[in-house]
Amino acid sequence: METVVAAKPIIKVAALCGSLRKASYNRGLVRSAIELSKSINGLEIEYIDIEPLPMLNTDLEGKGTFPPTVEAFRQKIKEADSILFASPEYNFSVSAPLKNAIDWASRPPNVWADKAAAIVSASGGSGGSRSQYHLRQIGVFLDLHFINKPEFFLNAHEHPAKFDGNGNLVDESFKKKLKEILISLQRFTLRLEGKL
């Protein structure tokens, strides 16, 4: 009699970048995460562009409806099992575009609720740690569940050689750290969903 091995559930990750620059280091982290995910069985990452979102204005809401770009964005978040944030640090906090995206998806019904999440940052100074801590605080209200470890902070100003001229991550040691984040996010998501 043949033994049937159950296929590993596919975890769908929505990846958001808080920087709108095409060659930003944080976008580079997302591109690298997508590439790395191809070597992780059962993990799929989709980049969700937040640039088209209008600034939050509840006058744009109808009775239970949102502008089409917002509706499409909210649906992508709703369909995802977990979230990967690439969060630069602006003035000791998260960027305005990322906060705007977070706020739109939090409008009732809150589509962030009960999802696993992870944060990676490439920034100056502390490598984005302050933005990550603020994002974790926001996540408490949104019922987002962040992995605690490992953490990923990269001081891109002190170590620009870790990226190429297009903002792509080229440093193998940091690629390894990024893959560890993805594996941790996958396992935590499976635990939250009762599949592990």
Side-chain angles (χ1 to χ4, degrees), residues 18-21 24 26 88-97 123 131:
S19 175
L20 302 183
R21 282 193 324 111
S24 85
N26 286 280
E89 184 173 310
Y90 291 6
N91 300 318
F92 283 17
S93 190
V94 299
S95 68
S123 215
S131 73

Side-chain angles (χ1 to χ4, degrees), residues 14-29:
L16 281 67
C17 178
S19 175
L20 302 183
R21 282 193 324 111
K22 302 300 180 199
S24 85
Y25 295 143
N26 286 280
R27 278 199 187 209
L29 293 180

Side-chain angles (χ1 to χ4, degrees), residues 20-91:
L20 302 183
R21 282 193 324 111
K22 302 300 180 199
S24 85
Y25 295 143
N26 286 280
R27 278 199 187 209
L29 293 180
V30 170
R31 286 191 297 272
S32 189
I34 290 170
E35 190 60 34
L36 290 166
S37 71
K38 294 173 184 175
S39 66
I40 303 171
N41 184 30
L43 190 71
E44 293 178 0
I45 301 178
E46 180 182 2
Y47 169 65
I48 311 298
D49 190 3
I50 64 174
E51 188 170 4
L53 295 172
M55 288 301 291
L56 180 71
N57 178 351
T58 54
D59 288 345
L60 299 176
E61 296 179 27
K63 291 184 179 178
T65 63
F66 299 91
T69 53
V70 174
E71 197 68 68
F73 170 71
R74 287 172 54 85
Q75 189 60 33
K76 288 286 188 183
I77 300 303
K78 185 178 180 180
E79 292 169 356
D81 296 296
S82 55
I83 313 296
L84 176 66
F85 293 98
S87 180
E89 184 173 310
Y90 291 6
N91 300 318

